[in-house]
Amino acid sequence: MAPPDLRRPFKRAAISDQERRRQQSLLRQAQNRRDAQHHARFLASTAFSLPSQTPEPEPSFSQPEHISDSQPEPSLKDLDVVEASKLKGAEARKWFAKQLMLPEWMIDIPDKFAVDWFVFARPSGKRCFVVSCNGTTISRLKNGSILHRFPSALPNGARRKDPSGSSQSYSILDCIFHEVDQTYYVIDMICWKGYSLCDCTSEFRFFWLNSKLAETGACDPPSYYHKYKFSLVPVYSCDQDGLSAAYTAAVPYVKDGLLFYNKHAHYQTGITPLALVWKDGNCSQYVMDTDSKGQVPSQQQVVLELQEDGKVTTCDDPPVVFGCLDGSYTQQLGLNSGCLIRFAIGEGGLVLVDGKLEKADLNYLGQANRARASADIFSKVMFQYSVRHSPLRIDDLLGSIISTVDQESKACDIEMDG
């Protein structure tokens, strides 16, 4: 592969409000520190207790001494163990999807890209979280279904004497299961031996993950008490060398784009602009969305949710409105509030003003697959639109870093001259 062209040391102009929302997310996490220990505990318990085709025994969990007795009011996003274990179908899929930290798609290059961000090559595979507790390990997909139940070398992950901690302790990892080599690639750590890391920065979580995982033997080859291998992904600071390494360096797994994490970001459940995904044809087999036949459609397709007032929106919080359907039209088609509808973007495209969607040319195609849990997020729609019209290239990412370094160097020279 030819090296990227570095002759464009400038930053591409922003086309959205993604940077503003990043700053708001950082501000909110500083103001609203939730009870992370409680959240980790009921996530671990629910992973075992949610009904499946094969009944799962429900483990007991000890109450850490420093946990407050006061708990938040339950909602679909933040349920207690008993309520969450009753979820089925779409509600179960939505709940579990919101327990993972899900990246937005990179529309604009972040400020302080080289200083405040990590980058790594995302493994292709099934995103899941892995919970070890009471002598067993279980993995669940984003839709809540069980991927594997198995013994592991994780703390308290197999039925053998474990001197590393209490029999009631539990650990939770954010992983991608890579089918080709039957390996769980760990991309984040949510909880370790009962200690929640949700309110820790990604910089600390990555340090803790690299320090602790190998000590357990989880990275060793499979054995009787350790059915699947776990492996770390190489994480780099997003400077010129780090980004180039993540983009071009060989890895033992199939790449599916690059993931970027803000170094100051806590583990925020749900979709967050403090984690970003970016792809091109050199680091992913799947850059443009395909249809049910695996073909790239001639027109970009989007899935939106029908609201009670007829508006069709993304699943963002708050949702982005793409248009409005007339009541008689929805009745004629048999569409109800909450339906997921597939549209094609017509020749009029998407019109943005000051980073916000002003108008969208939508052509109705039909209802989305029933197994789907939610509508598209706005950043995905915009990334796919950009890929078709004006893609954000690796040269733009590298050029932004070079431009920032040059500006800082000039500023330093001015200070020294003064």
Side-chain angles (χ1 to χ4, degrees):
M1 184 190 307
D5 181 5
L6 304 182
R7 294 175 295 175
R8 297 195 295 165
F10 62 89
K11 182 171 180 177
R12 181 166 127 159
I15 61 172
S16 76
D17 64 345
Q18 198 169 45
E19 181 61 35
R20 178 182 61 81
R21 291 184 290 103
R22 266 191 287 275
Q23 297 305 320
Q24 290 177 340
S25 292
L26 287 169
L27 182 62
R28 278 198 302 271
Q29 78 175 18
Q31 294 174 338
N32 303 321
R33 293 180 66 89
R34 57 190 169 84
D35 189 343
Q37 200 76 42
H38 165 68
H39 176 83
R41 187 174 66 253
F42 79 65
L43 175 57
S45 180
T46 307
F48 281 86
S49 61
L50 190 75
S52 62
Q53 293 180 349
T54 304
E56 305 288 344
E58 181 174 341
S60 59
F61 290 84
S62 60
Q63 177 87 355
E65 293 180 0
H66 60 284
I67 298 302
S68 168
D69 291 332
S70 61
Q71 306 295 356
E73 288 296 319
S75 65
L76 184 59
K77 188 175 181 180
D78 191 21
L79 296 173
D80 62 27
V81 176
V82 176
E83 292 296 326
S85 66
K86 296 177 182 177
L87 296 178
K88 296 180 180 179
E91 285 192 335
R93 291 194 295 271
K94 287 182 179 180
W95 188 86
F96 271 97
K98 290 179 179 178
Q99 305 316 305
L100 290 167
M101 183 171 173
L102 302 175
E104 286 194 10
W105 292 71
M106 185 186 287
I107 307 172
D108 297 319
I109 301 171
D111 290 343
K112 299 182 179 179
F113 196 34
V115 178
D116 286 348
W117 291 79
F118 290 117
V119 59
F120 58 91
R122 180 171 72 168
S124 176
K126 298 176 179 177
R127 181 80 181 274
C128 58
F129 58 85
V130 176
V131 181
S132 63
C133 179
N134 275 12
T136 192
T137 306
I138 192 169
S139 57
R140 281 193 185 264
L141 301 174
K142 286 194 299 182
N143 64 8
S145 63
I146 294 176
L147 178 59
H148 297 128
R149 181 182 175 91
F150 58 101
S152 77
L154 295 173
N156 217 2
R159 297 190 180 280
R160 57 180 177 177
K161 187 175 180 181
D162 185 1
S164 62
S166 165
S167 62
Q168 299 298 315
S169 73
Y170 51 93
S171 298
I172 310 172
L173 302 177
D174 185 344
C175 300
I176 295 174
F177 183 69
H178 191 248
E179 292 275 2
V180 177
D181 58 3
Q182 294 286 289
T183 298
Y184 281 95
Y185 285 93
V186 187
I187 62 173
D188 213 331
M189 180 180 280
I190 303 172
C191 182
W192 189 252
K193 295 185 179 179
Y195 174 72
S196 173
L197 294 150
C198 289
D199 280 343
C200 299
T201 65
S202 59
E203 191 164 28
F204 179 82
R205 296 197 310 274
F206 289 161
F207 164 76
W208 202 251
L209 175 60
N210 278 274
S211 301
K212 299 299 180 181
L213 189 66
E215 295 177 358
T216 65
C219 298
D220 294 344
S223 62
Y224 182 79
Y225 286 110
H226 183 56
K227 187 173 182 179
Y228 295 100
K229 180 182 177 181
F230 288 76
S231 185
L232 297 168
V233 298
V235 178
Y236 306 92
S237 287
C238 194
D239 53 24
Q240 185 178 342
D241 291 339
L243 178 57
S244 297
Y247 184 66
T248 61
V251 288
Y253 51 81
V254 178
K255 291 182 182 179
D256 185 25
L258 301 182
L259 271 175
F260 300 85
Y261 275 47
N262 186 286
K263 294 180 179 180
H264 309 292
H266 296 175
Y267 194 94
Q268 298 184 9
T269 57
I271 302 163
T272 173
L274 298 178
L276 301 168
V277 62
W278 174 89
K279 297 180 179 182
D280 73 359
N282 289 324
C283 65
S284 177
Q285 298 176 0
Y286 311 102
V287 180
M288 297 178 68
D289 284 346
T290 57
D291 58 22
S292 58
K293 298 179 181 179
Q295 302 297 316
V296 176
S298 58
Q299 291 182 310
Q300 180 185 349
Q301 297 182 7
V302 298
V303 174
L304 304 172
E305 182 176 351
L306 179 63
Q307 306 299 325
E308 291 184 1
D309 57 3
K311 292 177 180 177
V312 285
T313 68
T314 65
C315 69
D316 297 89
D317 184 15
V320 177
V321 178
F322 269 64
C324 189
L325 300 181
D326 183 79
S328 59
Y329 183 68
T330 58
Q331 281 187 340
Q332 179 184 346
L333 294 173
L335 302 175
N336 301 314
S337 174
C339 280
L340 298 180
I341 307 172
R342 187 174 294 277
F343 296 91
I345 297 179
E347 293 182 0
L350 304 177
V351 179
L352 280 78
V353 177
D354 295 331
K356 295 183 180 297
L357 183 67
E358 185 76 12
K359 186 171 65 174
D361 181 9
L362 299 178
N363 297 320
Y364 175 81
L365 295 177
Q367 293 194 47
N369 191 310
R370 289 186 178 183
R372 183 161 180 148
S374 61
D376 285 329
I377 59 175
F378 179 66
S379 63
K380 178 185 177 183
V381 176
M382 286 303 304
F383 184 88
Q384 290 292 318
Y385 189 76
S386 295
V387 166
R388 290 172 176 264
H389 297 88
S390 178
L392 185 63
R393 305 182 187 278
I394 189 64
D395 294 345
D396 297 315
L397 305 187
L398 288 164
S400 173
I401 294 172
I402 296 170
S403 176
T404 301
V405 172
D406 287 346
Q407 290 174 4
E408 291 177 353
S409 177
K410 290 179 180 178
C412 181
D413 290 343
I414 293 171
E415 287 180 7
M416 292 181 66
D417 291 342

